[in-house]
Amino acid sequence: MRTAIHWTPARLLRTHDVARDIRLFEIAPEGGARTNAPGSHINVALVINDQADSRSYSIVDSSLEAYRIAVKRCAPSRGGSQAMWRLPPGAPLTISEPHNHFALDFDRTDYLLVAGGIGVTPLMGMAAALARTGKAYRFVHVAPTRTEAAFVQELRDAHQARYEPRYSREGATLDLALEIARLAPQGQLYFCGPMRLLQAARAAWSAAGRHAADLRFETFASGGRYAAEAFTVKIPRAGLEVRVGETETMLAALARAGVDIMSDCQRGECGLCAVDVLGCEGTIDHRDVFFSEREHAQNAKMCACVSRALGGGVSIDTAFRSTASLLDA
Ligand code: FES
């Protein structure tokens, strides 16, 4: 179950490679694209490992006709990027309307945008909006090499000296403490990138004595501390036991078993899919960024969309009630 998602038929108009392993997709929903604020994403319904599933992708920008999203092809992914890359131009699709969990506040005068790799996508709309509204901002874009950085020329043209690409394997460094020190005291940092870079950004932000709420972020699902393995999830109250395959999420396995869990981002960010953990035979590999490290250590809750168990299984409880149990109540 998702939160108030309305699905719409759509068509893939065209694709275009914008960097090594990063492809731009132009997707036209029936009836035209909706207006969307910077940081918005759409969900794309896909068949992944023979199961109906979906993935959310940030909107790079949109026209009246179509949304543009960019997808990085990842070999050891949960299968979403591979499914997207197999789509031919003209392919029929089903997509959601835009949603936004990464909204830009316009009430500050100074902003720092930090993108890691494909994390550039939601920040492009933010940078454009900040430029339009005359705000002070800097946009730091980190990628391993020039060939792996998408949209560089487009961003250079749009933002000139405010845009600073840095290529780590070509000798550039990112000193987050220094970048944060250059931001006005009431400024905000918007970050989108991989988990390790987010952890560094959070640590630098905290060490600088900045207000936690002024660091806004989105990240990619973490690969976890451990390799994925199959495990069993039990819901004692419902008398259910479900096997979660190595390549599927707990959320998908439970949905297959008829257990609807509220979800949205499917990237471990929004916390909507969190379930209560009653017990674990092995270890829980928390892969979300919604809960803090302290909460992860407590193991009281886990995000079903990304987090996993290993070494046996996990017992959980959810707000789910079957139709039968509702009738019995
Ligand atoms: S659906 Fe957002 S954290 Fe799981």
Side-chain angles (χ1 to χ4, degrees):
M1 182 191 297
R2 290 171 166 269
T3 50
I5 288 186
H6 298 107
W7 295 94
T8 309
R11 193 166 62 85
L12 177 58
L13 292 183
R14 58 190 75 87
T15 63
H16 168 55
D17 290 352
V18 288
R20 189 164 83 207
D21 286 329
I22 299 179
R23 180 166 290 174
L24 186 70
F25 294 74
E26 288 185 51
I27 300 175
E30 215 172 81
R34 299 266 185 113
T35 53
N36 53 89
S40 297
H41 66 270
I42 56 169
N43 298 67
V44 181
L46 296 165
V47 175
I48 300 169
N49 300 321
D50 297 326
Q51 305 280 343
D53 208 332
S54 67
R55 291 290 183 268
S56 67
Y57 296 104
S58 297
I59 297 172
V60 173
D61 59 24
S62 61
S63 62
L64 289 176
E65 180 189 23
Y67 305 113
R68 294 201 312 161
I69 61 170
V71 181
K72 181 178 169 69
R73 179 170 52 184
C74 304
S77 74
R78 293 180 294 143
S81 69
Q82 301 285 351
M84 286 295 298
W85 273 63
R86 280 194 292 272
L87 293 172
L93 290 169
T94 303
I95 65 171
S96 73
E97 60 193 10
H99 290 254
N100 197 342
H101 302 303
F102 191 35
L104 176 64
D105 278 353
F106 285 97
D107 62 350
R108 307 302 169 98
T109 52
D110 194 15
Y111 297 82
L112 172 62
L113 312 179
V114 177
I118 188 66
V120 71
T121 52
L123 300 184
M124 289 176 70
M126 292 187 184
L130 292 172
R132 270 197 309 275
T133 51
K135 303 282 188 179
Y137 66 95
R138 292 172 53 241
F139 188 171
V140 178
H141 181 187
V142 186
T145 62
R146 170 68 186 83
T147 53
E148 292 163 90
F151 306 113
V152 170
Q153 195 54 52
E154 189 174 329
L155 288 166
R156 265 194 216 286
D157 292 346
H159 305 288
Q160 310 285 318
R162 293 179 188 277
Y163 173 65
E164 301 172 31
R166 311 264 176 87
Y167 308 124
S168 55
R169 285 199 204 127
E170 296 173 15
T173 54
L174 174 65
D175 184 336
L176 283 161
L178 190 64
E179 303 296 350
I180 291 167
R182 293 175 61 187
L183 183 68
Q186 303 306 319
Q188 285 185 327
L189 166 56
Y190 288 78
F191 171 93
C192 186
M195 180 81 88
R196 213 174 40 207
L197 192 52
L198 171 60
Q199 285 166 343
R202 276 172 141 175
W205 191 254
S206 170
R210 301 280 183 151
H211 197 293
D214 286 336
L215 166 57
R216 308 286 172 86
F217 60 85
E218 238 182 22
T219 187
F220 319 135
S222 150
R225 283 177 298 149
Y226 308 96
E229 61 178 52
F231 63 98
T232 301
V233 54
K234 295 178 186 164
I235 308 180
R237 185 178 43 74
L240 266 176
E241 183 167 326
V242 178
R243 191 73 177 154
V244 182
E246 183 184 323
T247 58
E248 68 181 337
T249 64
M250 190 164 108
L251 189 69
L254 289 171
R256 182 164 44 75
V259 180
D260 273 344
I261 292 180
M262 298 266 281
S263 68
D264 188 18
C265 71
Q266 304 215 5
R267 296 198 295 204
E269 293 167 5
C270 70
L272 265 177
C273 67
V275 296
D276 294 328
V277 176
L278 304 178
C280 181
E281 290 165 21
T283 303
I284 296 178
D285 189 9
H286 291 284
R287 299 180 172 200
D288 66 280
V289 290
F290 179 76
F291 292 117
S292 65
E293 284 181 29
R294 185 169 54 80
E295 288 167 317
H296 286 163
Q298 288 168 347
N299 273 343
K301 288 184 180 289
M302 66 189 287
C303 287
C305 67
V306 291
S307 296
R308 312 185 61 83
L310 63 155
V314 64
S315 292
I316 63 161
D317 201 3
T318 80
F320 172 72
R321 299 287 185 275
S322 69
T323 308
S325 68
L326 288 172
L327 291 173
D328 288 347

